[in-house]
Amino acid sequence: MSINLYQTGVSGLLAAQQQLATTGNNIANVNTEGYTRQRAEQATAVGNYNGGNFVGSGTYVQDITRLYDQFSYKEQLLNKSNLGNADSISLDLNQLNEIMSFSSEAIDGSIQRFYQAVNGIADNPNDIGIRNIALSQAKVLAQDFNSLNNNLDQLEKSTNSEIEQMASKISQISLDLAKINEQILQNKDINQTGQPNELLDKRDQLVNELGEYTSVSTIEDTYGVMTVMIGNGATLVAGITPLTVSVEAGNPDPLQTKLQLNSRNGKVALDASKLGGAIAAKIEYRDEHVTQARNELNRLAMAVSQTLNQSQAQGLDLNAKQGQNIFTDINSTVLQNSRVLSSSKNSGDVEGSLKITDVSLVPTNEFTVKYDGSDYIMTNTRDGSTTTLVETTPGVYPTEFGFEFTVNSGTPNANDSFTFRPTENSASLMKVTLNDPKGIAASSAIEVQAGDNNVSNGSVSIVNVTDPEIARSFTDTTNENLTVDVYESAPDVFSYRVFNAATPPPAATIASGSFAAGATAVIDMPPSPAAAAFQIEIEGLPVGQGALARETFTIADAFGSGNASNATLMAATQEEQILGGGKQTFSQALATATAQVGSSASSAELIADTAQALFTQAYNRNQSNSGVNLDEEAANLLKYQQAYQASSQIISVANTIFDTLLAVSR
């Protein structure tokens, strides 16, 4: 009897000792990251049959388990991935917003100051000092565009570096998880109840860390070995076999790096949009937000350059020469060629380019093009719509988006693909190409003077001057008194003719025709087959009273150092709605692009706050079960200490009884 009592006391003593050890271990690891609270699972030993009864034989600790709830842990893991994604995109967009806000303010200020100088030229076209100021402000404007583009370049490069670092970190975690799986496999017997709790904690901690970079799902087999999958199910760790994630150059743009999953048998491309976590946020930020901001900047730089260059080309400088480009030609060979990117997988040898035909129609998105063996099929990446490009002249394919594709050389093969970027490099290559202040074309070449006897609201205006020098010669030399007369030849029908009034009557007709009320007539001068140097437009209701009462307009040479008509037209382009399908001025387009980034940053911040709140809730739920509570552990410590002391007393009583029995036997 005393022996059984002794064994019972010893079993209680050992059980209490293990309970104390487990409780102490919990207390010691209260601040250990990733530690899961442990509990000694105590059970009753099988009783001994004695005297017709089963007499209890004590207790034992059957297992030391982790207080682990896989559902709350997986909820925490899911919210960790969402938080990593939201925090990353919010932080990056805030940085982009700061850069865009500061730089946009500088660009808008430069635009304002440049136009102030142009208005100064319009007021005093002879002043070389004001002309110098205008060129200086033009250089500042170009430099501001260059600077913002350089900032976006740095953001792209730093983001690529971060993506590479994250890929390396994911690969390292994969290796560590495979090693822990191997250790667990070596330390765990399927027939044993004990678990390597510390290894399991370390593994869960690594999975949790992995969840910050990408979404994670796991499967555990009967031996405790875990398979880890990322994104939409790509296996990262297959038991004790780790796979790695690496970065490869993008195609056709090397800077748009891609992710791939590597194994011993090869590599597989990863879909970044389905990876989740911080790494997906980085790729989204680079490919969508930074790219969109850059495209908006490029389109604005293109519009500013083209508009002011066109204004220059319509006027004459102080040397009576056609105004040369102020800024880099948007259709320079370098810019045209840079807008077409060919896939490195193409088997054909086509070299192509994009020429801008209408800045107001150019979108900010890019297009993908595939040659199907007979046609070029262009897909709009914004909405997925497709267009079959039709060749109008050899090697030239116009589009409805303000640009045309030209095959410069080579022959395509089926499945060759290309990427069209209509605005590419417009900001980075924007430079002031006009250095002589006398070269600013402030003067118009020709002007229209209405006859003194005209009484209607009809008017003739000069439009689309392509060669002001020839236009001037045509009105001043070829035709000394170029005249347009108009009258109502029939109800609501107006007839016109263009002739040289200096020629003895009857003067030969240079051009003639008619138009209906509400319409206009646009006439090429010189007429075909000569190349038109300018056009005249007749509009309104020039009502005359028959052949002897025609309304007349004289077109004459207007050049002069004091003529500022073209400078006035150039200054007016500041308020001209050119971008966004002819709905936005330069400043409005810049403000809209900046506001879009700001709106995205604000939205991302709200999403990040929500993600943080959800993660905190999930973390607290998990910790309420798995975390160490010092108050609870202190109470357990006292309880198991008392159990230890009580078991010691049982042993003491058993010893006393045993000693008594020995004494009696003597």
Side-chain angles (χ1 to χ4, degrees), residues 14 17 77 92 114 137 150 221 286 350 421 511 522 531 540 556 574 604 659:
L14 293 175
Q17 188 179 42
L77 184 60
D92 288 338
F114 172 76
Q137 290 301 329
N150 289 337
D221 64 17
R286 182 197 66 190
V350 164
R421 293 180 174 174
V522 178
Q574 181 179 11
D659 289 342

Side-chain angles (χ1 to χ4, degrees), residues 271-579:
D271 186 349
S273 64
K274 298 179 180 179
L275 279 177
I279 199 165
K282 290 292 180 185
I283 293 176
E284 175 193 339
Y285 170 68
R286 182 197 66 190
D287 292 350
E288 295 182 21
H289 301 285
V290 174
T291 297
Q292 179 65 22
R294 187 196 301 280
N295 290 344
E296 294 283 358
L297 176 70
N298 281 333
R299 185 174 65 169
L300 178 59
M302 176 191 292
V304 170
S305 299
Q306 178 73 340
T307 301
L308 293 172
N309 287 348
Q310 285 180 340
S311 296
Q312 269 281 102
Q314 295 187 74
L316 296 171
D317 62 17
L318 286 179
N319 298 315
K321 298 296 183 181
Q322 181 177 13
Q324 300 301 304
N325 289 340
I326 295 178
F327 298 103
T328 304
D329 180 8
I330 67 167
N331 283 320
S332 67
T333 301
V334 173
L335 279 171
Q336 286 193 57
N337 291 342
S338 71
R339 294 170 185 149
V340 177
L341 286 73
S342 301
S343 171
S344 61
K345 298 179 181 179
N346 288 356
S347 58
D349 58 352
V350 164
E351 295 291 338
S353 62
L354 289 189
K355 180 180 180 180
I356 304 302
T357 55
D358 189 342
V359 169
S360 67
L361 298 178
V362 175
T364 55
N365 57 286
E366 61 183 38
F367 300 80
T368 58
V369 178
K370 186 175 182 178
Y371 185 72
D372 65 1
S374 59
D375 295 306
Y376 289 98
I377 309 299
M378 183 174 74
T379 302
N380 189 332
T381 57
R382 174 170 294 171
D383 56 19
S385 60
T386 60
T387 305
T388 300
L389 301 183
V390 179
E391 187 177 26
T392 54
T393 57
V396 178
Y397 300 81
T399 73
E400 60 181 321
F401 299 102
F403 62 84
E404 61 185 25
F405 170 53
T406 301
V407 177
N408 297 326
S409 64
T411 303
N413 288 335
N415 297 319
D416 282 359
S417 61
F418 309 87
T419 297
F420 289 175
R421 293 180 174 174
T423 65
E424 188 78 350
N425 290 327
S426 295
S428 64
L429 297 181
M430 185 179 182
K431 298 289 185 295
V432 173
T433 57
L434 183 66
N435 297 315
D436 185 358
K438 293 181 181 180
I440 296 177
S443 175
S444 58
I446 52 179
E447 63 183 2
V448 178
Q449 297 174 352
D452 293 337
N453 296 324
N454 293 0
V455 295
S456 73
N457 68 348
S459 66
V460 173
S461 56
I462 307 296
V463 295
N464 299 328
V465 180
T466 56
D467 194 326
E469 294 182 55
I470 294 179
R472 184 186 179 204
S473 175
F474 187 75
T475 59
D476 183 45
T477 304
T478 308
N479 301 283
E480 297 179 8
N481 194 358
L482 190 64
T483 302
V484 181
D485 64 16
V486 193
Y487 74 103
E488 189 172 19
S489 56
D492 292 331
V493 176
F494 302 94
S495 295
Y496 66 84
R497 65 177 180 138
V498 183
F499 59 95
N500 183 2
T503 303
T509 299
I510 298 174
S512 63
S514 62
F515 62 96
T520 64
V522 178
I523 310 157
D524 289 342
M525 289 287 118
S528 180
F534 66 98
Q535 292 177 319
I536 56 176
E537 183 176 23
I538 308 172
E539 54 189 346
L541 301 173
V543 208
Q545 297 298 322
L548 300 177
R550 297 170 184 260
E551 297 199 338
T552 62
F553 304 85
T554 302
I555 303 172
D557 175 21
F559 172 73
S561 60
N563 183 336
S565 298
N566 199 57
T568 301
L569 293 175
M570 188 183 296
T573 60
Q574 181 179 11
E575 301 303 324
E576 188 177 346
Q577 293 180 321
I578 297 171
L579 293 166

Side-chain angles (χ1 to χ4, degrees), residues 89-124:
I89 198 72
S90 177
L91 183 65
D92 288 338
L93 281 175
N94 279 330
Q95 183 182 14
L96 179 61
N97 184 40
E98 290 177 2
I99 291 174
M100 285 294 294
S101 298
F102 176 80
S103 299
S104 296
E105 185 177 347
I107 291 175
D108 189 54
S110 295
I111 291 175
Q112 301 294 336
R113 288 188 292 274
F114 172 76
Y115 275 105
Q116 287 174 3
V118 173
N119 278 302
I121 295 174
D123 293 336
N124 192 354

